[in-house]
């Protein structure tokens, strides 16, 4: 398989992943690099159908069903989008990936981390990110940003936005624990700073990865 570069953005609600994925993508496109921006859950037609069930708090879901849904989404995303784009030599930026399962379903919901590692391996077909950028900030700040965004709209909080603060705290701790365990892959970025400053840190990290890969 020709090797592209796989970059993931992770973090708690409202940490700025979607905004930063777009800014990074644009910066790389300006350098005429082949880039795909994608996301989980979603990123494929099947994934968007799964996403609507997964996030809808009006749809009752057992936590094991929630886990299996997000893994089904990943299995499709990897095989339909990630693997082919990486094989074509592209830079693929994914807004969330398997670390979100460890943080949300593992640290947040309490599933066994070893079991999640095995299930992630199956769903991801062993495709691991080359670099993961965890956008870190206090959960209150992130949730406030998501609330400000929907203020004045009819959009209700989704399944996870509506969770207790303690859940979100465990999720944040999960991301930080992953970063401590895999410092070569995972970089923690202070996401409390202005958008442009966060963007520059992300771009610096990606540029140095591309240089190391002689790209
Ligand atoms: N999930 C997902 C699991 O439970 N398990 C899994 O395995 C996976 C893959 C996905 C949900 O699914 C869960 C996690 C999630 O709860 P989603 O709708 O995709 O749901 O939601 P999120 O990924 O959480 O995305 P959000 O849109 O809520 O947050 P983002 O993408 O982190 O933030 P963004 O860029 O949309 O920014 C939010 C607001 O903040 C502002 C932006 O302008 C925007 O208004 N902002 C800033 N403001 C000031 N300073 C900055 N530096 C800012 N950065 C952004």
């Amino acid at each position: 398989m020709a090797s592209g570069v796989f970059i993931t953005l992770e973090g708690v609600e409202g940490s700025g992943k979607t905004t930063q994925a777009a800014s990074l993508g644009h910066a790389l496109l300006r350098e005429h690099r082949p880039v795909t921006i994608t996301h989980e859950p979603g990123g494929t037609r099947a994934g968007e159908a799964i996403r609507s069930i997964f996030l809808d708090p009006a749809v009752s879901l057992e936590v094991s069903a929630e886990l299996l849904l997000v893994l089904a989404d990943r299995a499709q995303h990897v095989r339909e989008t990630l693997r082919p784009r990486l094989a074509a030599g592209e830079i693929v930026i994914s807004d969330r990936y398997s670390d979100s399962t460890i943080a949300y379903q593992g640290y947040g919901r309490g599933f066994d981390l070893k079991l999640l590692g095995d299930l992630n391996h199956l769903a991801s077909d062993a495709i691991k990110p080359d670099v993961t950028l965890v956008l870190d900030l206090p959960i209150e700040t992130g949730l406030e940003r998501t609330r400000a965004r929907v203020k004045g709209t009819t959009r209700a909080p989704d399944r996870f936005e509506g969770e207790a603060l303690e859940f979100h705290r465990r999720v944040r701790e999960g991301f930080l624990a992953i970063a401590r365990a895999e410092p070569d892959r995972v970089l923690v970025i202070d996401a409390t700073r202005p958008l442009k400053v966060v963007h520059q840190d992300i771009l610096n990290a990606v540029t140095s990865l591309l240089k190391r890969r002689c790209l």
Side-chain angles (χ1 to χ4, degrees):
M1 179 174 88
S3 77
V5 177
F6 186 26
I7 300 164
T8 57
L9 289 165
E10 299 278 10
V12 296
E13 311 294 309
S15 51
K17 301 170 302 299
T18 309
T19 309
Q20 294 297 342
S23 306
L24 175 63
H26 289 140
L28 295 172
L29 282 171
R30 277 197 296 275
E31 295 173 4
H32 306 288
R33 296 178 184 276
V35 176
T36 290
I37 302 175
T38 185
H39 62 276
E40 288 191 4
T44 64
R45 191 164 173 200
E48 292 305 327
I50 293 170
R51 177 184 170 90
S52 68
I53 301 170
F54 185 72
L55 292 184
D56 185 351
V59 178
S60 169
L61 274 184
E62 291 297 322
V63 289
S64 51
E66 174 190 295
L67 169 64
L68 292 169
L69 276 178
V70 85
L71 292 168
D73 168 65
R74 181 157 310 124
Q76 188 66 29
H77 190 216
V78 165
R79 288 153 182 86
E80 188 177 321
T81 305
L82 301 183
R83 187 177 277 291
R85 300 292 173 123
L86 290 168
E90 292 191 17
I91 299 173
V92 178
I93 303 167
S94 187
D95 178 354
R96 297 197 183 278
Y97 188 59
S98 48
D99 293 318
S100 278
T101 310
I102 303 295
Y104 280 79
Q105 280 66 47
Y107 284 81
R109 298 284 192 229
F111 275 99
D112 178 69
L113 297 180
K114 165 77 172 68
L115 171 70
L116 289 185
D118 292 345
L119 291 172
N120 255 337
H121 188 78
L122 173 74
S124 67
D125 204 14
I127 291 194
K128 281 202 93 169
D130 294 291
V131 68
T132 295
L133 304 155
V134 170
L135 304 190
D136 182 57
L137 82 180
I139 53 155
E140 292 84 356
T141 313
L143 290 169
E144 188 45 49
R145 284 182 188 171
T146 61
R147 279 190 208 110
R149 188 180 46 189
V150 299
K151 206 170 172 188
T153 72
T154 52
R155 183 183 170 284
D158 69 29
R159 185 181 306 282
F160 297 94
E161 288 164 354
E163 280 290 342
L165 289 182
E166 198 39 53
F167 174 85
H168 293 289
R169 273 195 198 99
R170 291 197 299 275
V171 170
R172 182 186 185 194
E173 180 45 41
F175 283 122
L176 295 176
I178 294 167
R180 283 193 297 274
E182 293 186 69
D184 291 343
R185 172 177 70 87
V186 184
L187 186 67
V188 177
I189 299 213
D190 175 1
T192 59
R193 299 167 302 158
L195 282 169
K196 281 187 178 165
V197 180
V198 176
H199 169 69
Q200 195 54 53
D201 268 12
I202 291 173
L203 192 57
N204 290 346
V206 170
T207 303
S208 91
L209 169 70
L210 295 176
K211 271 194 190 138
R212 285 201 302 280
R213 296 273 296 263
C214 300
L215 293 170

